[in-house]
Amino acid sequence: MKIRVNRLALSETLSLVGSVVPSRTPKPVLRGVLMYTQGDTLRLYGTDLELSIDAGLSQVEIERQGRVLLDADRLVGIVREGGDEVLDFDVAGDACTIVGSDSRYKVYTLDIEQYPIVVPASKAGGLSVSLKDMREAARQVVFAAAKESSRYAINGVLFELKGKRLGLVATDGRRLARRRVNGTVSEGCQLAAQRVIVPTKALALVERLGEDGEELSMDLSGNQIVISCGDVAICSNLVEGTFPKYEDIIPSDYQRRLELDTLAFSSAIKRAALLTTDQAKGIKISITSDKMVLSSRAPEAGDAEVTMPISAGCQPLDIGFNPQYLLEALRVVQAPRIQLELGEADRPAIIKAEPDFLYLVMPINLG
């Protein structure tokens, strides 16, 4: 293989593909990035055997077709640190020469014959959604997924397609986030037939894809989900297991409904939590007919109290929350106002925001 490639374009694509390459693995060959030519395009491929990504770039001149497997960390360093507009790659035998205007590297290649290429059985195309909507949806639910395994498969994000609406749901058992997006469903779409659980790492890649005006396509291929956008394809194993029946725990009978300014509510929570400690992490929200008081108390730190006016008419209530769980939800809300729904002190709170975001958080006992 012999090519000349735009360094900045290569660096951007390499950053995306390199993010799935494991830094520690018993298989040294997995630390590599595969570079190969396809027509007039240079493509980069990386995998950790559970998640793979294949991305192309067109800012390249190809003199000789071919492929090469290079250590990802070394390649990233060479491409990132150079100040050249273009880099020349020339593969001969077991070495690849990389030449810039004032630099030259001879890098030994990895054994390409031992490299596992995970190829899906079919390309994505069953469901198409706006990339902008999907990026936002991923950001609004991924944070709520469990970081550790449990008897339920909640260390991923549930995908459930109902009609033309895709629901993304994540929970860690203490809070739950759900966002729905509209899409276009093709005939034979496998996503329409079942609920699946997608790893959070795959969704994190979605946030780094393309431009907001583009469309994203996805569908199932065996036990994998294939996500495509532009010249990038992501293939990920699904999380095995059962996602809990979350619909049963979302209350629909609450009478206390407060419409709040998103930034003002977030600021009040932050200020009320300033005197919390590791031993006293919670804040109390006290509702009266015309105001909300957010407070915290820690024996070794002191007391804090912040007051917010609310619409008149709510029944009184004292309820405790972990402030971090509230702030993490408000941080991903794009709408200027949210609706806070409350039941009794031992029942979860609900935060709703446009477009079609729902967040449920369990209260805590402040003692």
Side-chain angles (χ1 to χ4, degrees), residues 75-86:
L75 182 58
V76 167
I78 292 171
V79 174
R80 182 184 59 212
E81 298 301 330
D84 308 284
E85 182 179 352
V86 297

Side-chain angles (χ1 to χ4, degrees), residues 284-288 291-295 304-308:
K284 180 169 75 172
I285 296 181
S286 300
I287 305 289
T288 63
K291 66 182 178 181
M292 173 191 295
V293 179
L294 298 89
S295 60
E305 185 175 291
V306 180
T307 302
M308 281 186 68

Side-chain angles (χ1 to χ4, degrees), residues 189-299:
C189 175
Q190 297 298 307
L191 270 171
Q194 56 185 303
R195 303 188 340 159
V196 298
I197 306 167
V198 179
T200 56
K201 189 176 180 180
L203 281 181
L205 286 177
V206 169
E207 297 185 55
R208 302 177 60 182
L209 296 181
E211 303 295 331
D212 280 349
E214 295 188 62
E215 287 284 306
L216 180 145
S217 300
M218 66 187 85
D219 206 352
L220 302 181
S221 176
N223 68 335
Q224 298 174 326
I225 185 167
V226 184
I227 302 172
S228 330
C229 180
D231 210 15
V232 179
I234 298 167
C235 182
S236 173
N237 290 352
L238 298 172
V239 177
E240 296 182 357
T242 303
F243 199 87
K245 293 182 178 180
Y246 72 91
E247 299 95 336
D248 299 340
I249 65 169
I250 299 177
S252 58
D253 58 344
Y254 285 177
Q255 301 301 312
R256 297 182 183 87
R257 293 185 174 90
L258 308 175
E259 188 174 315
L260 304 172
D261 181 276
T262 306
L263 293 179
F265 187 38
S266 179
S267 173
I269 295 169
K270 290 177 183 176
R271 288 180 286 148
L274 287 174
L275 297 184
T276 58
T277 65
D278 289 340
Q279 289 72 39
K281 294 181 178 180
I283 63 169
K284 180 169 75 172
I285 296 181
S286 300
I287 305 289
T288 63
S289 61
D290 60 352
K291 66 182 178 181
M292 173 191 295
V293 179
L294 298 89
S295 60
S296 64
R297 171 174 294 178

